Structures are given as C-alpha cells and as structure tokens.
C-alpha cells in the first residue's frame, strides 16, 4: 500500500492542468479533503447549472436542482458508492438530469425528452466557460447566454435536451441514448436536426454569436 506522501507525489506528477484530474479530486475528498470538493464544484458549476437551467427554464428551480445535485454527489462519494472511474461530469449530469425529470413528473407535466460529429464545433462552442473574466467579457458571455437560451426555446424538447447534454454534460452519444432511452442513431439525429434548426433560427432572425 502506498503512503500518503507517495499518493500526493503521484497526484502532482500525473496532472499539469489548472485543476487536478477529477479522479484525484474524488479520491482526495473521500479521504477527507473538503477543498477537493470545492475545486470539483468550482470546475463544473457553470456547466451543470447552465444545463439545468436550459432544461427547466426557471432560475430558482435550476438553483434548487443544482444544490440537490451536489447533495447527492456528496452522499454518493461519502458512502463509497461512486465507481465511474473518471467520468465525473457525465455522472453529475445524469444526477441533474434525473432530478429534472423527477420534478416534471411531480408536477405532472410531460418531461422534456430528453450529427454529424465533425459539425460539433458550432453555436455552443462560442460559449466556452472561463474563470476570472473581466467585466466586458462577462457581459458578452451573458448576452450570448441569453441569446442561445431564447433560440433553444424554439427547438423541440428532444433536440434541446441532446444539445445540452452533449455540450454541457460532455456526454457521449451512447451515454445520451441510454439516459434518454433512445437509440444512438436517434440521439445523433436529434443533435443534427437541433443544430440545423438553430442555424435556421439564427439566419431568420439575423443573429450572430
């Protein structure tokens, strides 16, 4: 068994990124390092919250689901039931997605249902999440966020869901298909038509991002 010093040295040498690898953060939190959890939340909070908001379309509801998502993340990690082997963001997205579905079921509304992969660098890529942005950059990002939010409102729910899960959840089409109970080809088709419809909406309304 490795000593604590050896584990720390291994973690330092394994990653040159701004943040440690997700698996390292999970391992550190499970060993009692609360700062590791803070780093994990900071790393993904904008992607997770934005994906929830784009699906439920309500700021306060999105905040509640976001908080509940991380409560479940913490419970799972502390209980030792986490076994995703590094796929932390898709795992958190599945929790968030299921909480959104549960909400719609409780209020007896039909839940949002849940391309060409060379075309993935599209509308969403202009909305990259960055930390420590200046005021002007933040203003532009918020305006873009609001524009894309309005565009997404015009998409069929199934297309909107796949776009959000793919971009913000970093989920593979196989994972999306399993989560939304459809075939991989169906998920790919929803992505393709979703992007095509977004382009048409942008052209119709003369919107540039």
């Amino acid at each position: 068994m490795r000593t604590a010093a050896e584990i720390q040295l291994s973690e330092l040498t394994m990653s040159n990124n701004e943040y440690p690898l997700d698996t390292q953060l999970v391992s550190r939190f499970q060993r009692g390092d609360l700062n590791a959890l803070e780093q994990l939340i900071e790393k993904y909070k904008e992607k997770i919250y934005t994906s929830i908001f784009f699906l439920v379309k309500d700021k306060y509801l999105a905040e509640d689901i976001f908080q509940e998502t991380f409560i479940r993340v913490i419970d799972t990690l502390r209980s030792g039931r986490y076994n995703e082997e590094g796929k932390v963001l898709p795992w958190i997205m599945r929790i968030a997605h299921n909480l959104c579905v549960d909400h719609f079921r409780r209020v007896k509304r039909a839940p949002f249902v849940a391309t060409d992969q060379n075309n993935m660098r599209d509308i969403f890529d202009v909305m990259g999440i960055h930390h420590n942005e200046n005021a002007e950059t933040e203003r532009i990002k918020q305006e873009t966020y609001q524009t894309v939010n309005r565009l997404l409102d015009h998409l069929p729910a199934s297309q909107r869901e796949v776009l959000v899960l793919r971009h913000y959840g970093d989920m593979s089409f196989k994972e999306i298909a399993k989560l939304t109970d459809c075939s991989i080809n169906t998920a790919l088709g929803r992505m393709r038509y979703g992007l095509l419809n977004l382009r048409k909406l942008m052209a119709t309304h003369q919107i540039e991002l």
Side-chain angles (χ1 to χ4, degrees):
M1 181 178 294
R2 293 186 302 171
T3 65
E6 289 173 333
I7 292 173
Q8 290 178 357
L9 178 61
S10 174
E11 290 179 352
L12 287 172
T13 56
M14 283 175 63
S15 175
N16 293 319
N17 297 328
E18 179 182 358
Y19 294 96
L21 294 175
D22 293 345
T23 50
Q24 296 168 11
L25 292 174
V26 167
S27 177
R28 284 168 47 193
F29 173 67
Q30 290 176 321
R31 297 199 303 269
D33 183 355
L34 297 180
N35 183 59
L37 178 66
E38 293 178 5
Q39 290 183 56
L40 191 64
I41 294 175
E42 181 65 24
K43 183 176 182 180
Y44 289 130
K45 65 180 182 181
E46 290 197 59
K47 278 195 170 187
I48 298 295
Y49 174 79
T50 301
S51 67
I52 295 170
F53 176 76
F54 279 158
L55 293 174
V56 302
K57 298 295 182 180
D58 182 282
K59 175 183 177 182
Y60 299 106
L61 175 59
E63 290 173 354
D64 288 343
I65 292 176
F66 175 85
Q67 292 182 25
E68 178 63 23
T69 296
F70 275 96
I71 288 173
R72 297 200 180 191
V73 166
I74 291 169
D75 287 345
T76 301
L77 294 179
R78 282 180 170 166
S79 68
R81 290 180 285 117
Y82 175 77
N83 58 0
E84 299 295 321
E85 297 183 359
K87 295 185 177 181
V88 174
L89 179 57
W91 168 61
I92 298 175
M93 277 298 305
R94 288 199 299 273
I95 295 174
H97 177 274
N98 289 334
L99 287 171
C100 291
V101 172
D102 288 345
H103 164 76
F104 283 107
R105 285 173 177 162
R106 283 197 301 272
V107 298
K108 296 182 180 180
R109 289 170 50 190
F112 52 84
V113 189
T115 101
D116 178 356
Q117 296 200 45
N118 292 325
N119 252 342
M120 289 307 164
R121 192 185 186 288
D122 206 299
I123 293 168
F124 287 108
D125 281 1
V126 303
M127 295 182 64
I129 302 300
H130 303 287
H131 298 278
N132 302 319
E133 295 169 327
N134 60 39
E136 180 63 14
T137 302
E138 179 65 22
R139 182 188 66 79
I140 294 172
K141 188 183 74 174
Q142 288 301 318
E143 289 178 356
T144 305
Y145 173 98
Q146 292 168 7
T147 299
V148 173
N149 186 29
R150 290 195 298 270
L151 292 173
L152 286 172
D153 275 339
H154 291 83
L155 292 182
S158 59
Q159 294 174 15
R160 180 173 69 246
E161 183 179 36
V162 172
L163 287 170
V164 170
L165 293 175
R166 177 66 178 172
H167 178 74
Y168 291 100
D170 287 352
M171 299 180 77
S172 69
F173 285 105
K174 181 179 179 180
E175 291 169 326
I176 293 172
K178 182 177 180 180
L179 185 62
T180 58
D181 194 24
C182 69
S183 69
I184 294 177
N185 285 339
T186 297
L188 284 165
R190 289 172 179 173
M191 184 73 169
R192 176 174 179 269
Y193 286 113
L195 291 174
L196 288 173
N197 287 331
L198 282 178
R199 293 192 195 106
K200 290 177 182 177
L201 286 168
M202 291 176 65
T204 299
H205 298 285
Q206 298 182 334
I207 294 173
E208 293 185 4
L209 297 177

